[in-house]
Amino acid sequence: MSRERELPKAPDRSQAPAHPDLSVVIPAYNEAHRLPRTLDALTDHLSTADTPWANWEIIVADDGSTDATADLVTARQDPRIRLVATPRNRGKGHALRLGVAASAGRRVLVTDADLATPVEELERLDKALAEGNSAAIGSRSVPGATIGARQHRLRELLGRAGNLLIRRTVVPGIRDTQCGFKLFDGDHAREAYAASRVNGWAIDVEVLRQLRRAGLTIAEVPVHWSHQPGSKVAPLDYARALTEFTRIALRPPHSPRSPSFPRSPRFPRSPRRPADLLAPFLFLLMSVALYSGRFFDPARRYLPDSLRDQDQWEWFFAVTADNVAHLRNPLFSDLQGFPDGVNLMANTVMPGLSVPLTPLTLAAGPAVTLSLVMTLGLAATAAAWYWLIVKHVVRGRIAAFLGASLAAFAPPMVSHAHGHPNFIVLFMIPLIIDRALRLCTGTRVARDGIVLGLMAAYQVLLGEEPLLLAALGMLLFAAAYAVVRRDVARAAWRPLLRGLLIGASVCLPLVVYPLVWQFAGPQSYTDIEHNPRSFNSPLALLSFAERSWLAGDAETANALAFNTTEQNAFYGWPLVLLASVILVRLWRQALVKALAFTAVAAAFLSLGQEFRIPLTDVTLPGPWALLADKPLFEAVIESRVAMVCAPALGMLIAIAVDRLPAAHPAWTRQVGLLGVGLALLPLVPAPLRAVDRAEVPAFIADGTWSAYVREGESLVPVPLPDPGDAEALHWQTEAGLGFKLPGGYFNGPYGDERVGIYGAEPRFTSNLLRDVRNSGEVPPVNASWREQARIDLAYWRAGVLVLAPHPNDSALRETVEKLVGRPGRWVDGVWVWDLHERGLVRGTARDGA
């Protein structure tokens, strides 16, 4: 393994530039006789007053020299001249990989130790990069090049033959790949050399091939070149180089890394490592730990902070499985909200999972299915982010693991982990992002467009709102990246647009039926009213969530969010501060700028249509006002837009951690790791709180109810199930969905305008019983109220009224007795009013309409 060589007289590097404009990398093997002159020429030129390089560094990559090469470098005592070394000779390719990895410059110049191309030619190459190219290589074979002293005739002929072979097989169009004077965009150089594999002279060809495959432009610039005596190229090296060229040419092509995302060029994936198997396993352990209170006994454990969402989602999985098993439409059910029913597609029941998991639900029950979906889905989401980050952002596995952990286990994700599987099972989102990036390269637009369309269609069946938020985040990122990298945007927009059109043509036919059913089918609605506090306060972005293990603050979190499942920000001020420091330190990186803009813009949008500056009475208009009434966005809870920040911040953390080992001076590495730890540790979630589940009354569990409910009738719980108390949905799933329920917990239409509300359309009797449940007071029931109750019971086709033990059950029982005109009977743990007795069931649904 390569390491920085330890020498007794290490120079003081306290004055080395932290963010140099130029890094010069020189591979060296036994260059003691030529290197001093080269270093003098470089430092003299770069130190002149008219040079554009205000800050620079020179890195000599010593490839196991046995002479005084290393001592000559350290003897300079110049903090801008650094030495990195390996203990043994590995080859020019290995030395360059080591040297470029240690660089930090905005530009990286790779030059041979003999400086056969004078440093004055640097300005020509820099001009080519300023014109939008990602690499500029000195060339002896293009018009305008001049050659001073020539090589031996045989070496010149071998070089031309090699260049001809390279042009025809490896990098067509480049006439001179071996001139040792190349200038790169710094980020592109570090990525390309890190992805290289050969250790010999063919490293130049391999790097250029990768840049070309990434869709990046390479300029071949004519330079002056003179042969210098003392070449290290031996006759056998030509054979070795030919072997390396053959390996490069025959290497199977990898999907190119997109120039429009994170790491600008998209290079071949690094080989799989043990960490790539360990990471998903650790994510699974983290997810199981989060759900440990429920995971090992899902049927008898409940997450109280999910409010009634766990009951609702278990019902969703149960009714979908029941529909599939009986060959009914999986997009509709009248088992709750009876007799009108529920538009399941408009209620995000995740048919993409609930339908294929029907056998599991029928065999093990909906509680087990929901528990597995949420636990495995959260781990799969983290693994997908890890894969995306390794593929496009950083190669360091620890850095990628930390970034993916934040993306998947950030406070808003943990909040939704209580009861919203559609917002934590997001493994398709990183795959969609990756496919969109592939489109930017323009290599296989038709294929990638088709795959993107299939992926988007499947995500629609998993959750449309997360897909919409992901698209919004991608749009923010693309806009920011296009501004800072206009050359990339110009090259990418045509294939991207074409691929998106192909994807849309594939996706829409697949989802048109469920979408038409959702927006125009039975029990569809036009809009939905959200909680008036469904926006983020600026303080919510800086505070800690309730379930944060070390810094959790339930009182603050509850004051800043309208319930425990919608704590959609709460990243904590240390993480926000760390992200700001990363932005300042790595400002030159286009990726960092684009990610930071994405996070800030998403956070700002989440503040709603207007926001108040904390600790003041000043209210300002918010940008969400531009989207709030637009199609699709009108149903979005705006505070959820802040969830886009999680992957953006995760990638920023990954980039920072990946860069820390190369940071100078050494104390910055220690401070950086400490900062990352202080920012992330307060966000580590505590296991979700779980309690024993309420027992299902024996009247339901033992099947006694079946003697009271006839075909086409419903069982009416007292009070009717609603978003505030949906325990009756659990009764229904435990009874095998054998009876129908009026009321319920779902989204449905209300009134002639069909505005969306939570729960069934309210009726007089359901409102009355709900008020008694909440107040514990018995109202003065009169004849008109009893008549209205009769109409409502007829509308619900009620066969029996059932009152389970309840804090205000005495008031509810007295109210029901007054409405139906007789007392109930205690049967198997509940109060029962059989509406078939004494003709209490009268009229029809039409009577109550």
Side-chain angles (χ1 to χ4, degrees), residues 3 14 71 108 257 372 542 602 667 760 846:
R3 58 181 177 84
S14 59
D71 296 325
V108 172
R257 194 177 288 275
L372 288 176
L542 305 175
W667 64 265
R846 183 174 298 175

Side-chain angles (χ1 to χ4, degrees), residues 340-353:
D340 301 311
V342 179
N343 187 322
L344 297 177
M345 188 62 196
N347 277 270
T348 321
V349 298
M350 300 180 73
L353 284 177

Side-chain angles (χ1 to χ4, degrees), residues 452-515:
L452 179 62
L454 295 174
M455 288 180 171
Y458 184 59
Q459 179 58 43
V460 167
L461 300 179
L462 294 179
E464 298 161 71
E465 190 173 348
L467 178 60
L468 179 62
L469 294 180
L472 178 61
M474 293 168 66
L475 182 62
L476 292 173
F477 177 87
Y481 204 85
V483 170
V484 296
R485 289 299 310 273
R486 296 180 183 178
D487 57 324
V488 171
R490 284 194 295 268
W493 76 267
R494 286 185 178 86
L496 177 61
L497 178 60
R498 181 182 167 213
L500 291 177
L501 291 175
I502 293 173
S505 67
V506 172
C507 177
L508 290 178
L510 296 176
V511 300
V512 63
Y513 177 78
L515 290 181

Side-chain angles (χ1 to χ4, degrees), residues 553-827:
D553 187 344
E555 183 177 352
T556 300
N558 291 330
L560 294 173
F562 60 88
N563 67 49
T564 52
T565 67
E566 294 290 349
Q567 293 176 8
N568 291 308
F570 299 94
Y571 292 99
W573 63 266
L575 180 59
V576 175
L577 179 61
L578 176 63
S580 302
V581 172
I582 294 172
L583 177 61
V584 172
R585 293 280 296 178
L586 303 179
W587 173 252
R588 292 183 182 276
Q589 292 193 28
L591 168 61
V592 171
K593 294 178 185 178
L595 289 173
F597 174 82
T598 303
V600 171
F604 198 40
L605 284 169
S606 76
L607 300 181
Q609 300 188 50
E610 61 180 21
F611 63 94
R612 182 175 64 86
I613 299 178
L615 306 179
T616 71
D617 293 327
V618 178
T619 300
L620 300 175
W624 186 254
L626 301 175
L627 300 175
D629 298 326
K630 300 299 185 292
L632 301 180
F633 289 99
E634 60 189 3
V636 173
I637 296 177
E638 56 264 42
S639 65
R640 292 176 177 173
V641 181
M643 297 180 71
V644 173
C645 301
L649 291 171
M651 291 178 193
L652 285 175
I653 293 292
I655 294 170
V657 173
D658 195 58
R659 292 290 298 272
L660 278 177
H664 293 283
W667 64 265
T668 60
R669 298 194 288 271
Q670 300 165 356
V671 171
L673 289 174
L674 179 62
V676 172
L678 292 177
L680 295 184
L681 283 177
L683 304 184
V684 174
L688 302 184
R689 190 164 60 96
V691 298
D692 289 335
R693 196 160 201 166
E695 291 290 335
V696 176
F699 180 82
I700 302 294
D702 295 344
T704 309
W705 62 268
S706 60
Y708 294 82
V709 181
R710 300 173 183 172
E711 184 70 25
E713 294 180 346
S714 69
L715 182 149
V716 181
V718 178
L720 276 70
D722 62 20
D725 184 0
E727 181 63 21
L729 298 185
H730 183 221
W731 296 0
Q732 192 182 44
T733 57
E734 286 295 298
L737 303 177
F739 55 80
K740 302 177 189 295
L741 290 173
Y745 182 15
F746 58 92
N747 294 334
Y750 174 73
D752 295 336
E753 296 183 358
R754 306 184 67 79
V755 175
I757 61 171
Y758 291 92
E761 186 167 0
R763 299 183 70 86
F764 174 85
T765 305
S766 60
N767 286 341
L768 174 63
L769 296 176
R770 182 198 61 216
D771 293 342
V772 175
R773 175 194 68 191
N774 295 337
S775 68
E777 298 179 359
V778 179
V781 177
N782 54 37
S784 64
W785 287 19
R786 284 191 291 271
E787 178 59 21
Q788 186 61 53
R790 186 197 69 78
I791 294 173
D792 291 340
L793 292 173
Y795 181 80
W796 294 326
R797 304 174 193 172
V800 64
L801 291 167
V802 178
L803 172 61
H806 186 277
N808 291 325
D809 56 3
S810 59
L812 284 166
R813 181 160 58 94
E814 185 177 347
T815 301
V816 173
E817 289 175 351
K818 291 182 177 181
L819 288 174
V820 301
R822 65 176 178 80
R825 289 187 298 166
W826 182 257
V827 180

